[in-house]
């Protein structure tokens, strides 16, 4: 009994030291659900599992409430939810009541961390342990992406049934390696070809910041290795938008370091990242062959505007020129994406599904111009708050996490032009990280009253 009691106290002290919070449990649950979806045996409960990943955010909102200081983005987030409620009650072309309620619930779930994270007593140590948890999860996924390239078929997860039955199934999901073998784009620990690119982005960005922040030689080696694995995955998936996203985020991280006078760190980062991009590029070409080289080289064959127009630009153009005049106040809830696929009733010709590829189209269809303006305000305040925290030298090394979140925010905003991020788990993670950054700064003992005023908007 004495041994058991000692072990219990020891375990308790570990969790206390890590400052384990509901936020850590939230991230761990998201990852667990993601892993479970890789097994075909649970295909019959795939939809309930996906719902659970979002419903947990609403559960935490009900369980923890909304105590503590409000993140500056909270008010526009409330406006977003109010617009969605008006759409549910008043719009005549809603696809179905079920789909409309599900769409509103999705928005609430994704924005919920802005509310329930306020109740957490998280310290800088707890925030750092959460960053390490996220970094570790994505590094593991990126590592599996590398293994899928080196050992085709052996580490291949179950392919999403939605992908199997969709128009995307085919050659556009495959890459040809230097040895001539065709494989799915690295999936990492996801069920979608190319999914390793997202993990690669996190492993790269978090790895760079951890290497800058910590002096431990072992930790620096591991974090640099993580960044290299992540960048390799981005190259091999041949998803150019994620590569551009990574580059944009790193540039803004450099701007933060320059703005805060951290010239030594800036010099180390610029030289290290330049070497990392070059070395990993040659590694990727050696494995991915000519197809990878041609795909990546295409980024430099035309201007950024022309490249975007050739890819996702057409969707943005259609949104502005065709859908905006047609649906300035929204097209009705439940008319696009997985909400329509799971809950929609497409028998009414007036509320037929509309194809969505980018977030801006989704916002327009769900709430029109008012929703777009409200979400822009929320994103602006999130970015400004992270910048203000990153720029405050009184926060010490914790400010570097603010720089990381600011760079991550810029990347997330950029990806809305490529993918509906804020109708996915990535959207929940965005608001969780921003809310926790703000809450941690508020809870920290080093944040005095003068500093509290500077991080308000």
């Amino acid at each position: 009994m004495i041994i058991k009691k000692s072990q219990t106290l020891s375990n308790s002290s570990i969790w206390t030291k890590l400052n384990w919070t509901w936020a850590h449990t939230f991230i761990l649950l998201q990852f667990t659900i993601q892993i479970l979806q890789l097994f075909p045996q649970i295909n019959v409960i795939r939809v309930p599992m996906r719902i659970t990943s979002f419903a947990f955010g609403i559960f935490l909102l009900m369980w923890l409430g909304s105590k503590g200081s409000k993140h500056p983005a909270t008010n526009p987030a409330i406006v977003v939810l109010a617009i969605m409620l008006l759409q549910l009650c008043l719009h005549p072309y809603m696809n179905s009541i079920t789909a409309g309620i599900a769409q509103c619930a999705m928005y609430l779930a994704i924005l919920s961390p802005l509310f329930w994270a306020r109740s957490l007593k998280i310290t800088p140590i707890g925030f750092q342990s959460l960053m390490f948890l996220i970094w570790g999860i994505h590094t593991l996924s990126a590592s599996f992406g590398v293994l899928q390239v080196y050992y085709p078929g052996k580490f291949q997860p179950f392919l999403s049934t939605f992908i199997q039955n969709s128009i995307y199934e085919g050659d556009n999901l495959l890459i040809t390696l230097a040895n001539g073998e065709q494989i799915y784009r690295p999936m990492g620990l996801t069920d979608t070809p190319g999914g390793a690119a997202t993990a690669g982005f996190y492993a790269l960005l978090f790895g760079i910041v951890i290497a800058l922040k910590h002096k431990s030689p072992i930790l620096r080696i591991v974090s640099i290795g993580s960044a290299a694995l992540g960048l390799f995955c981005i190259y091999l998936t041949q998803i150019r938008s994620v590569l551009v996203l990574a580059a944009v985020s790193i540039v803004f991280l450099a701007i933060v370091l320059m703005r805060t006078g951290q010239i030594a760190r800036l010099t180390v980062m610029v030289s290290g990242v330049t070497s990392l991009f070059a070395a990993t590029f040659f590694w990727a070409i050696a494995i991915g062959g000519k197809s990878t080289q041609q795909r990546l080289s295409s980024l430099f064959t035309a201007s950024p505007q022309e490249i975007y127009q050739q890819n996702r630009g057409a969707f943005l153009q259609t949104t502005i020129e065709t859908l905006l005049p047609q649906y300035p106040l929204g097209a009705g809830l439940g008319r696009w994406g997985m909400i329509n696929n799971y809950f929609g009733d497409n028998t009414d010709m007036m509320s037929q599904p509309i194809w969505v590829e980018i977030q801006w189209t989704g916002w327009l269809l769900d709430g029109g111009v008012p929703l777009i303006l409200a979400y822009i305000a929320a994103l602006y305040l999130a970015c400004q708050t992270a910048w203000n925290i990153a720029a405050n030298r009184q926060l010490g090394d914790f400010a570097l996490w603010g720089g990381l979140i600011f760079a991550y925010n810029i990347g997330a905003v950029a990806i809305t032009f490529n993918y509906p991020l804020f109708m996915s788990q990535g959207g929940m993670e965005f608001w969780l990280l921003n809310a926790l950054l703000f809450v941690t700064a508020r809870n920290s003992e080093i944040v005095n009253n003068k500093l509290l005023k500077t991080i308000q908007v």
Side-chain angles (χ1 to χ4, degrees), residues 171-219:
D171 292 341
N172 59 331
L173 299 182
L174 302 172
I175 60 171
T176 303
L177 301 179
N179 60 9
E181 186 170 4
Q182 279 197 325
I183 64 170
Y184 279 113
R185 297 173 188 263
M187 299 165 66
L189 292 175
T190 75
D191 57 2
T192 305
T198 301
F201 167 73
Y202 280 96
L204 172 64
L205 189 60
F206 280 56
I208 290 172
V209 171
I210 290 172
L212 290 173
K213 191 174 186 298
H214 294 275
K215 297 181 180 181
S216 167
I218 296 177
L219 187 55

Side-chain angles (χ1 to χ4, degrees), residues 28-348:
L28 203 56
L29 177 67
Q30 300 299 316
F31 179 61
T32 302
I33 291 175
Q34 176 182 316
I35 293 296
L36 290 175
Q37 290 176 358
L38 303 182
F39 298 94
Q41 294 84 357
I42 57 89
N43 194 48
V44 292
I45 59 171
R46 183 173 295 269
V47 174
M49 288 179 60
R50 287 187 181 275
I51 293 174
T52 299
S53 67
F54 294 99
F56 190 60
I58 298 177
F59 164 77
L60 289 177
L61 176 58
M62 297 172 63
W63 181 261
L64 298 175
S66 299
K67 306 171 186 176
S69 302
K70 294 194 303 183
H71 188 285
T74 301
N75 287 339
I78 292 174
V79 174
V80 167
L81 297 175
I83 291 171
M84 294 300 293
L85 184 59
L86 289 174
Q87 290 285 324
L88 179 66
C89 298
L90 302 177
H91 203 289
Y93 300 132
M94 182 169 58
N95 181 271
S96 70
I97 292 294
T98 305
I101 293 174
Q103 196 91 19
C104 289
M106 178 74 88
Y107 273 80
L108 177 60
I110 288 170
L111 290 168
S112 65
L114 271 176
F115 302 95
W116 59 259
R118 290 159 50 182
S119 303
L120 301 180
K121 303 300 181 184
I122 188 169
T123 65
I125 293 176
F127 187 86
Q128 177 169 280
S129 67
L130 182 68
M131 295 297 98
F132 272 78
L133 177 63
I134 295 173
W135 171 56
I137 287 172
H138 288 292
T139 298
L140 180 63
S141 184
S143 300
F144 269 83
V146 174
L147 291 173
Q148 288 156 12
V149 172
Y150 273 90
Y151 304 97
K154 291 186 178 181
F155 295 91
Q156 183 71 48
F158 175 69
L159 189 64
S160 166
T161 52
F162 178 76
I163 296 292
Q164 293 180 35
N165 299 327
S166 73
I167 59 174
Y168 289 109
E169 172 66 12
D171 292 341
N172 59 331
L173 299 182
L174 302 172
I175 60 171
T176 303
L177 301 179
N179 60 9
E181 186 170 4
Q182 279 197 325
I183 64 170
Y184 279 113
R185 297 173 188 263
M187 299 165 66
L189 292 175
T190 75
D191 57 2
T192 305
T198 301
F201 167 73
Y202 280 96
L204 172 64
L205 189 60
F206 280 56
I208 290 172
V209 171
I210 290 172
L212 290 173
K213 191 174 186 298
H214 294 275
K215 297 181 180 181
S216 167
I218 296 177
L219 187 55
R220 282 187 170 179
I221 292 172
V222 172
S223 58
I224 292 171
S226 166
L229 291 175
L231 188 55
F232 178 80
C233 280
I234 296 174
Y235 283 142
L236 262 294
T237 56
Q238 300 181 13
I239 301 179
R240 297 172 298 179
S241 59
V242 178
L243 181 61
V244 172
L245 166 66
V248 168
S249 297
I250 291 172
V251 167
F252 275 89
L253 179 59
I255 291 173
V256 171
L257 295 177
M258 184 183 301
R259 173 66 177 78
T260 55
Q262 301 181 63
I263 304 303
R265 277 178 169 168
L266 175 63
T267 304
V268 170
M269 191 191 81
V270 171
S271 59
V273 167
T274 301
S275 301
L276 184 67
F277 267 74
T280 311
F281 176 79
F282 289 111
W283 178 24
I285 297 303
I287 303 300
K290 186 178 295 185
S291 65
T292 300
Q293 182 177 5
Q294 291 174 343
R295 179 73 173 172
L296 298 177
S297 299
S298 66
L299 282 171
F300 307 98
T301 58
S303 67
Q305 295 87 341
E306 290 174 330
I307 294 173
Y308 181 72
Q309 184 61 34
Q310 294 168 6
N311 294 274
R312 289 292 192 268
F315 299 111
L316 183 61
Q317 184 176 357
T318 300
T319 300
I320 296 173
E321 296 179 359
T322 303
L323 296 177
L324 177 58
Q326 191 174 358
Y327 305 114
L329 296 177
L333 298 179
R335 296 187 63 177
W336 65 279
M338 298 307 295
I339 294 294
N340 180 268
N341 186 57
Y342 289 153
F343 305 106
D345 177 8
N346 299 322
T347 57
D348 188 346

